């Protein structure tokens, strides 16, 4: 298993990876996607949110980046790829779930706060992983109580102890 949630099975993850821009190493690559899923499922278990949408957000949100720096349209391109996979019957989610997935991907770098639990979990999960580039997430930029608690304490031990492929 590459991802923890069965909605993002290995075949789907491999097919999304096959559509990824070919760069040798990226701070927005697969390991980041895996940590975003881990963080998002952790947040959902405490503050709510749809685990299927959160897992697919982790898979698609940075999948269409063309560099690690300035690429403001990458979220929208990731959303388009998710829509393409859905149209091809590859994502077993409802139209409402697809709408949440598209919104979360499209706006994950241009918007900070949202009242929807799923959108909040997606964006907080991504921001908690800013530590990979030595940026401590600002609790004021987060939405959920569980993510704020991690950011305030700077203690990732609970996240790192969860049963997720990235932790094994
Ligand atoms: Fe990301």
């Amino acid at each position: 298993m590459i991802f923890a949630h069965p909605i993002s099975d290995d075949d789907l993850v491999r097919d999304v990876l096959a559509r990824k821009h070919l760069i040798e190493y990226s701070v927005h690559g697969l390991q980041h996607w895996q940590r975003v899923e881990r963080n998002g499922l952790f947040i959902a278990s405490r503050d709510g949110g749809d685990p299927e949408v959160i897992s697919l957000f982790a898979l698609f949100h940075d999948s269409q980046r063309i560099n690690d720096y300035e690429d403001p349209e990458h979220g929208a391109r990731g959303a388009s790829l998710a829509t393409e996979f859905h149209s091809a019957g590859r994502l077993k989610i409802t139209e409402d779930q697809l709408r949440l997935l598209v919104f979360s991907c499209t706006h994950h770098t241009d918007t900070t706060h949202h009242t929807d639990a799923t959108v909040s979990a997606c964006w907080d999960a991504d921001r908690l992983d800013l530590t990979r580039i030595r940026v401590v997430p600002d609790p004021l930029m987060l939405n959920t109580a569980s993510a704020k608690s991690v950011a305030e304490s700077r203690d990732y031990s609970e996240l790192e102890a969860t049963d997720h492929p990235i932790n094994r």
Side-chain angles (χ1 to χ4, degrees), residues 28 32 36 61-62 108 126 132:
H28 296 95
H32 166 61
V36 171
H61 79 289
D62 280 338
H108 79 274
D126 190 29
R132 75 194 187 283

Side-chain angles (χ1 to χ4, degrees), residues 27-29 32-33 36 57-58 61-63 65 74 108-109 122-123 125-127 129-130 132:
V27 294
H28 296 95
H32 166 61
W33 306 356
V36 171
F57 168 83
H61 79 289
D62 280 338
S63 67
R65 267 192 174 273
H74 77 277
H108 79 274
T109 52
C122 290
W123 293 352
D126 190 29
R127 290 194 185 115
D129 200 40
L130 282 170
R132 75 194 187 283

Side-chain angles (χ1 to χ4, degrees), residues 12 19 78 107 126 144:
L12 180 64
R19 299 288 296 274
H107 296 292
D126 190 29
T144 61

Side-chain angles (χ1 to χ4, degrees), residues 20 22-29 31 35 68-69 132:
K20 180 178 177 288
L22 295 175
I23 39 182
E24 276 188 28
Y25 175 74
S26 166
V27 294
H28 296 95
Q31 290 187 336
R35 284 191 300 270
D68 278 333
Y69 312 102
R132 75 194 187 283

Side-chain angles (χ1 to χ4, degrees), residues 5-68:
H5 197 289
I7 196 87
S8 300
D9 62 49
D10 287 358
D11 285 345
L12 180 64
V13 174
R14 288 197 183 98
D15 287 348
V16 173
L17 281 170
R19 299 288 296 274
K20 180 178 177 288
H21 187 68
L22 295 175
I23 39 182
E24 276 188 28
Y25 175 74
S26 166
V27 294
H28 296 95
L30 178 61
Q31 290 187 336
H32 166 61
W33 306 356
Q34 290 173 294
R35 284 191 300 270
V36 171
E37 193 206 30
R38 178 197 68 188
N39 298 350
L41 296 178
F42 173 88
I43 292 166
S45 73
R46 284 154 178 77
D47 294 298
D50 182 335
E52 294 185 338
V53 175
I54 291 166
S55 176
L56 292 171
F57 168 83
L59 178 59
F60 283 100
H61 79 289
D62 280 338
S63 67
Q64 297 301 291
R65 267 192 174 273
I66 54 171
N67 63 52
D68 278 333

Side-chain angles (χ1 to χ4, degrees), residues 88-132:
R90 298 293 310 280
L91 308 185
K92 307 297 182 201
I93 55 174
T94 67
E95 291 292 334
D96 283 346
Q97 287 177 303
L98 180 65
R99 267 191 290 277
L100 273 177
L101 175 60
V102 165
F103 181 87
S104 300
C105 288
T106 302
H107 296 292
H108 79 274
T109 52
D110 66 31
T111 313
T112 306
H113 295 292
H114 204 279
T115 53
D116 181 89
T118 301
V119 177
S120 297
C122 290
W123 293 352
D124 285 5
D126 190 29
R127 290 194 185 115
L128 279 182
D129 200 40
L130 282 170
T131 49
R132 75 194 187 283

